[in-house]
Amino acid sequence: MKINIKFESAKLKVLFATSEIAPLIKTGGLADVSSALPAALRAIGVDVRVLVPGYRQVIAQLPEQKVLATFDALADFPAARLLSGTAANGVPLLVLDCPGLYQRDGGPYQDAAGNDWADNALRFGLLSKVAAVLGSSESALDWHPDLVHCNDWQTGLTPAYLHFAHGSVPSILAIHNLAFQGVFPPATLGQLHLPLSCFGINGVEFYGSLSFLKAGLFYADHITTVSPNYAKEIQQEALGFGMQGLLAIRNNDLTGILNGIDTGEWNPATDKYLAKKYSSTRMTGKAINKTALQNLLGLNVASDVPLLGLISRFTHQKGLDLLLEIAPSLTELPAQLVMLGSGETKMQEAAQDMSHRYPGMIAAHIGFSEALSHRIEAGADMFIMPSRFEPCGLNQLYSQCYGTPPVVHATGGLVDSVVDCTAETLKDGTASGFTFSGMAAENLFAAIQRAVDLYRDQRNWKVLCKNCMVKDLGWESSAETYKAVYLKVLGR
Ligand code: ADP
């Protein structure tokens, strides 16, 4: 049974369930969104609290461990506790403490060798289940949300649990990346304490397996995704990853809302990682950051050679292979290149190999470094994002904010957030980067060539950089749209 509470003036209360939150634990954009969006919603009067697993890194950063609730008998799940915490930006945290499932060396989803944790179904089944308990009349907390905002497959089972629970509130499922679907063998269902009857096309079943994401897409009251263009793309076969049929059926319950950026974290005027802070009206500091970056990475210190930056997970999705294919030609333009990222071993090796072949011109840093990512955004002249698909993408937003025009493949949220630079768009002030269509190395090269040509015309280049920097990229308007979706789902 769904309960829509009718107090129009009561403060809207939302439980935001997520598997990562910056800066406590981050593998990608979801962590950034899970930190900034709740803060932006709180700023407009929504009482959001974030539920996150108590990974080792998260527990280590909790100053005290105040227990809010215990879960001793949630079916086959191990005993767990809910601890209270507060994020650095003031957002209240509900930390799900279950050491056997979450406190281990390695990442949130994979061990240090890059293999998925064998018990991921149980780990994120518990997270999903606890989110549903907190959104139902079973909850022992004094704070009762009006709605649960789930994120990606890791909390995809929450809408299913809510569907079968008593006194449950509505849920929305936000898709940050449809390619990750939380697919497990059908027998897993027994461990997860869901009725066998839900294992069907109208339920959690997906091509004979159990999919957490499919469960969420089917049972959530509303679905959001992180850009309007991606909301359209995922209803088509090419980028629907098998979910396009269900998404097309649910078209009226699907809203694309572009991500914003946390301007407290990403702002060249206040960024603690930079050699020199700068702004759209005082740009001189940007050149100092470029020299510092070239020094740091062992690149030739040359102010007039354009420096291209890339920060990414090294996976097929992100199109690094295209960039590596043209890297030798880039050095002849000449342009320099820095790549920061980690992921597939072959791509890591290929990036490193390229840096050894072109010392002084190409640098590769394998690993995850928040500090270096900020320094690249500031020190590079242009930012490269040749993603095959991109639900929203954040680095093209950060790079605009840092006056580092992005060169992007015209897909997903990149289409919604980058306006190709032409004579007209430069003149009317809308240009904010360079886009290319057709996922081929020569198309990427042509777009970079256009960027480098404009870079040589420094007067116009500065116009473009300034255009980028003055854009409003914050979360305010998107937070209002999320609030409107919540209210619509609640029938208010
Ligand atoms: P995705 O979530 O698909 O990885 P996004 O562009 O939405 O891609 O977000 C990626 C986020 O992760 C950005 O904040 C980016 O700067 C960060 N990031 C990715 N790889 C690294 C890395 N190796 N070091 C530091 N930050 C990284």
Side-chain angles (χ1 to χ4, degrees):
M1 182 185 52
K2 304 274 173 191
I3 299 175
N4 286 348
I5 299 165
K6 288 280 181 258
F7 305 119
E8 305 281 317
S9 58
K11 200 169 193 184
L12 186 57
K13 296 194 284 299
V14 173
L15 177 67
F16 191 96
T18 183
S19 57
E20 48 184 282
I21 178 168
L24 297 177
I25 176 88
K26 169 170 167 177
T27 70
L30 172 60
D32 291 6
V33 174
S34 300
S35 166
L37 174 57
L41 284 162
R42 289 183 72 83
I44 55 170
V46 183
D47 178 4
V48 186
R49 305 189 184 189
V50 177
L51 173 69
V52 63
Y55 308 111
R56 180 162 288 163
Q57 303 90 319
V58 173
I59 297 286
Q61 293 177 70
L62 278 187
E64 50 167 348
Q65 301 200 353
K66 186 171 169 229
V67 180
L68 297 174
T70 53
F71 306 99
D72 296 326
L74 287 180
D76 293 338
F77 294 110
R81 308 183 302 169
L82 202 61
L83 308 176
S84 80
T86 309
N89 62 10
V91 173
L93 299 177
L94 303 168
V95 176
L96 179 57
D97 182 36
C98 182
L101 292 186
Y102 303 127
Q103 288 207 38
R104 39 180 89 161
D105 293 334
Y109 318 121
Q110 296 178 327
D111 62 21
N115 304 306
D116 288 351
W117 294 113
D119 54 354
N120 270 348
L122 202 60
R123 297 171 75 237
F124 296 107
L126 178 66
L127 178 65
S128 296
K129 176 71 182 173
V130 167
V133 168
L134 298 180
S136 75
S137 52
E138 274 182 72
S139 175
L141 296 193
D142 294 336
W143 183 82
H144 294 279
D146 300 312
L147 179 140
V148 184
H149 179 143
C150 311
N151 294 281
D152 274 350
W153 75 264
Q154 295 87 346
T155 48
L157 281 192
T158 302
Y161 285 125
L162 285 167
H163 178 81
F164 294 107
H166 292 289
S168 58
V169 298
S171 60
I172 74 162
L173 178 75
I175 306 168
H176 298 263
N177 194 332
L178 195 68
F180 301 107
Q181 304 187 330
V183 176
F184 299 97
T188 319
L189 194 66
Q191 281 186 330
L192 296 170
H193 198 58
L194 276 166
L196 279 180
S197 61
C198 72
F199 193 77
I201 188 158
N202 290 319
V204 305
E205 184 265 351
F206 184 59
Y207 292 99
S209 294
L210 159 69
S211 162
F212 278 41
L213 185 71
K214 158 77 191 299
L217 297 180
F218 183 79
Y219 287 108
D221 294 274
H222 199 90
I223 301 164
T224 63
T225 190
V226 288
S227 69
N229 190 41
Y230 192 61
K232 284 188 228 144
E233 290 176 343
I234 56 179
Q235 296 177 53
Q236 310 291 324
E237 194 178 343
L239 291 180
F241 289 93
M243 302 287 181
Q244 62 274 10
L246 175 56
L247 288 163
I249 290 170
R250 299 218 57 192
N251 175 269
N252 288 332
D253 302 322
L254 170 61
T255 309
I257 308 171
L258 195 68
N259 283 339
I261 68 175
D262 182 342
T263 46
E265 281 295 311
W266 294 93
N267 179 354
T270 55
D271 192 325
K272 62 178 184 229
Y273 296 114
L274 304 195
K276 179 84 184 163
K277 299 180 184 27
Y278 62 96
S279 67
S280 62
T281 49
R282 290 175 69 91
M283 282 291 283
T284 45
K286 187 155 172 60
I288 296 170
N289 284 293
K290 177 172 176 179
T291 306
L293 186 63
Q294 286 171 323
N295 273 317
L296 180 73
L297 298 167
L299 294 170
N300 301 334
V301 176
S303 60
D304 55 343
V305 175
L307 172 54
L308 321 184
L310 171 133
I311 305 163
S312 177
R313 288 183 292 112
F314 284 3
T315 62
H316 185 67
Q317 176 197 341
K318 300 292 183 176
L320 177 64
D321 48 317
L322 257 59
L323 185 60
L324 290 173
E325 201 178 320
I326 58 167
S329 316
L330 293 175
T331 62
E332 285 162 25
L333 282 173
Q336 295 179 345
L337 172 64
V338 50
M339 296 168 279
L340 164 65
S342 62
E344 290 170 23
T345 312
K346 272 199 178 134
M347 284 192 199
Q348 295 184 171
E349 287 168 358
Q352 269 175 326
D353 178 53
M354 204 54 84
S355 71
H356 296 144
R357 280 170 56 195
Y358 297 94
M361 292 302 282
I362 298 184
H365 184 99
I366 306 303
F368 197 95
S369 168
E370 196 65 31
L372 184 55
S373 71
H374 285 245
R375 290 175 185 141
I376 291 174
E377 290 291 7
D381 293 299
M382 45 199 89
F383 193 89
I384 313 299
M385 265 178 105
S387 307
R388 289 193 160 75
F389 65 94
E390 194 59 79
C392 176
L394 289 172
N395 278 307
Q396 84 283 7
L397 303 177
Y398 300 148
S399 67
Q400 288 174 57
C401 182
Y402 281 65
T404 308
V407 179
V408 305
H409 180 217
T411 183
L414 300 175
V415 170
D416 291 324
S417 57
V418 181
V419 176
D420 190 43
C421 182
T422 62
E424 287 101 70
T425 57
L426 193 61
K427 195 161 167 220
D428 69 22
T430 55
S432 58
F434 300 84
T435 66
F436 68 94
S437 298
M439 203 49 204
E442 63 263 30
N443 297 337
L444 170 62
F445 187 80
I448 294 176
Q449 175 84 66
R450 283 197 291 131
V452 169
D453 287 346
L454 192 75
Y455 178 84
R456 293 198 183 112
D457 169 7
Q458 274 291 309
R459 203 170 58 88
N460 275 323
W461 183 256
K462 284 187 179 129
V463 172
L464 175 63
C465 295
K466 195 160 182 165
N467 274 354
C468 291
M469 292 184 82
V470 299
K471 269 176 80 169
D472 177 9
L473 298 167
W475 266 107
E476 290 75 10
S477 82
S478 294
E480 290 287 359
T481 313
Y482 274 101
K483 186 176 176 183
V485 168
Y486 298 156
L487 292 172
K488 184 174 165 211
V489 169
L490 291 166
R492 293 196 194 170

